[in-house]
Amino acid sequence: MSETDVAVVGGGPAGLSAALFAAKNGLDTITFDTDETWMHKAHLFNYLGIESEDGSAFMDDAREQVEEFGVDRRQGTQVTGVTENGDGFTVSTDDGDHEASYVVLATGAKRDLAENLGCEFTDEDVIDVDVTMETTVEDAYATGAMVRAEEWQAVISAGDGAAAALNVLTKEKGEHFHDFDTPADAE
């Protein structure tokens, strides 16, 4: 059984954005990705900073980026359940259990893991989250299409993932955390 700070379930824009922010800022992060993202059916013309890019090519770039920051990306690993364990969460997969202090759910419109975890839903039948993307289950976050009725945009999902990770980092650091780089950071 492996232990990590942040377990991300889903490898689309929301999940990879959460993983990027968490790992880039020192949290041990693992993602589970079955590669069922809608991005393989998309072409990006409406993603800020990208003039035109095929969705699959975008995913390749995003995956490479998170791996460069040390994310343990488990491509093809199916998550079968997420449960609270007293110290955080147990993420059960087809290759064993993984313990995490925080969990970020980024499974598109598939909401069964959140429902089984005990997350509350809104009247619109989406997962109830606050502005930080935290669900009604403490330290469990939900992002993207699972929290929005018919608002399935890659750029919105990526922002949701970033919001979740920044809240986790705020909790870990004990003060409001901002991930703001300057040109000098790139050198």
Side-chain angles (χ1 to χ4, degrees), residues 19 29 55 63 70 79 86 88 92 112 136 167 175 186:
T29 306
R63 290 171 177 152
V79 172
S92 300
D112 58 321
T136 55
N167 193 58
E175 62 187 14

Side-chain angles (χ1 to χ4, degrees), residues 25 27 102 139 141 165-178:
N25 291 289
L27 297 181
Y102 302 91
D139 297 332
Y141 297 80
L166 287 176
N167 193 58
V168 168
L169 287 157
T170 291
K171 287 181 176 190
E172 286 294 300
K173 309 257 185 216
E175 62 187 14
H176 286 289
F177 184 81
H178 304 280

Side-chain angles (χ1 to χ4, degrees), residues 52-149:
S52 171
E53 186 173 21
D54 175 75
S56 293
F58 173 83
M59 292 308 305
D60 289 343
D61 292 343
R63 290 171 177 152
E64 183 178 314
Q65 184 180 21
V66 300
E67 288 173 354
E68 288 173 0
F69 279 100
V71 173
D72 179 1
R73 204 173 60 76
R74 304 287 177 100
Q75 186 73 35
T77 301
Q78 178 74 40
V79 172
T80 57
V82 178
T83 55
E84 290 183 279
N85 63 23
D87 294 323
F89 302 91
T90 300
V91 178
S92 300
T93 70
D94 54 12
D95 74 350
D97 288 346
H98 305 267
E99 305 293 325
S101 300
Y102 302 91
V103 66
V104 178
L105 302 173
T107 56
K110 295 179 183 176
R111 300 177 179 105
D112 58 321
L113 292 174
E115 183 175 13
N116 293 338
L117 183 57
C119 299
E120 291 182 17
F121 282 67
T122 70
D123 292 339
E124 293 181 305
D125 204 31
V126 295
I127 299 165
D128 188 14
V129 294
D130 63 17
V131 70
T132 68
M133 311 316 295
E134 191 167 15
T135 70
T136 55
V137 175
E138 188 176 2
D139 297 332
Y141 297 80
T143 60
M146 61 190 340
V147 303
R148 300 177 185 280

Side-chain angles (χ1 to χ4, degrees), residues 3-31:
E3 293 185 24
T4 191
D5 295 322
V6 181
V8 179
V9 183
L16 292 181
S17 180
L20 173 66
F21 275 75
K24 178 178 176 283
N25 291 289
L27 297 181
D28 187 28
T29 306
I30 188 171
T31 64

